[in-house]
Amino acid sequence: MPSASTSAPRLHALVPCAGSGSRAGTASPKQYQPLAGQPLVQHTLLALGAVRRLSTVLVAVAPGDRTLEGMAGLRGLPRLVRAECGGPTRAATVTAGLRALREHGALDSDWVLVHDAARCLVTAELVDRLIDACLPDPVGGLLAQPVADTLKRGLDGRAEATVPRDHLWQAQTPQMFRLGPLLQALEAAGNAVTDEASAMEAAGHRPRLVPSSALNFKVTWPEDFRLAEAVLSQRQEVSA
């Protein structure tokens, strides 16, 4: 384990990229599907690569997955590290990714921003907003959006009850915590947790909620691809 340092903690991004994307209805993992002229995950990694404060962008892929090596658009991306450490669940992949960051010299006091590969509409501005809010925080936090819709609890295809939406937030990523406490929390919580904040909450912490954008959604369902394509195409036209 790397020893403690008196220097300022560094910041690293960790992108779990080992999922099958079964809900997206695609023949291959959704993170590699073409979107606005590029593989979906390439949009994600280019956005993270534009955040200058990140020392490392580690992508945790499934063992034997060398797809990223064939992406010409990523060859000039600095600080990109590929680790074949993907597991059967998101939590397992993130846990292994944190250990891989340690092997690459990250310290337990460093910050790690875990970001979904399929949130390809994230921007450097949103990531910087999270960093600015969490750097002075003793715990860390996550990008999130207050819930606006009426929520229903369903049973057998019928609404059983309306769930009050007061104080409810929709969690997004990146989620930013120090490497050591996050790894400890994930190891204690097990593979059932669906995000890093859940593990930190189970460990007794209260992560900071940092207001995000509705456009920072996770491409999950087939129709999400069409919406993400439209947004990315518009951004490309504006920047052209």
Side-chain angles (χ1 to χ4, degrees):
M1 181 187 304
S3 60
S5 171
T6 57
S7 61
R10 293 178 298 167
L11 295 99
H12 311 276
L14 168 56
V15 181
C17 191
S20 63
S22 58
R23 289 178 292 180
T26 56
S28 58
K30 66 179 177 183
Q31 60 267 30
Y32 300 135
Q33 292 298 304
L35 196 64
Q38 300 175 9
L40 186 154
V41 71
Q42 183 167 308
H43 293 285
T44 306
L45 296 177
L46 289 174
L48 292 173
V51 181
R52 296 184 178 181
R53 286 183 283 182
L54 293 175
S55 298
T56 312
V57 178
L58 186 141
V59 189
V61 301
D65 182 354
R66 308 185 75 85
T67 309
L68 289 178
E69 294 182 350
M71 293 185 188
L74 296 179
R75 288 174 187 163
L77 191 65
R79 300 161 289 158
L80 183 65
V81 175
R82 187 181 62 87
E84 294 185 21
C85 61
T89 65
R90 175 199 172 85
T93 298
V94 173
T95 299
L98 293 172
R99 293 174 181 146
L101 278 172
R102 272 181 171 176
E103 293 173 2
H104 282 83
L107 304 177
D108 283 358
S109 57
D110 286 349
W111 291 98
V112 179
L113 288 78
V114 183
H115 184 64
D116 297 323
R119 290 189 191 269
C120 57
L121 299 180
V122 72
T123 63
E125 290 76 15
L126 279 178
V127 179
D128 278 325
R129 181 189 303 175
L130 177 70
I131 292 172
D132 289 340
C134 291
L135 274 179
D137 195 274
V139 175
L142 64 151
L143 290 178
Q145 278 283 96
V147 172
D149 296 326
T150 299
L151 300 179
K152 301 291 185 181
R153 184 171 62 246
L155 181 65
D156 298 329
R158 292 185 177 274
E160 185 180 45
T162 299
V163 180
R165 65 189 179 198
D166 297 344
H167 311 299
L168 292 182
W169 292 63
Q170 183 176 5
Q172 298 181 357
T173 67
Q175 302 193 1
M176 176 175 164
F177 303 102
R178 292 189 185 270
L179 192 157
L182 178 56
L183 180 57
Q184 186 177 24
L186 285 168
E187 289 173 339
N191 288 337
V193 293
T194 56
D195 74 347
E196 295 67 51
S198 299
M200 295 295 284
E201 293 156 17
H205 302 290
R206 296 182 63 200
R208 176 177 293 278
L209 294 165
V210 181
S212 185
S213 165
L215 289 180
N216 188 29
F217 63 86
K218 185 177 181 181
V219 175
T220 304
W221 307 107
E223 58 267 29
D224 292 339
F225 283 89
R226 293 190 290 272
L227 179 55
E229 175 103 26
V231 174
L232 288 168
S233 297
Q234 183 183 42
R235 288 179 180 175
Q236 290 170 351
E237 290 176 4
V238 170
S239 61

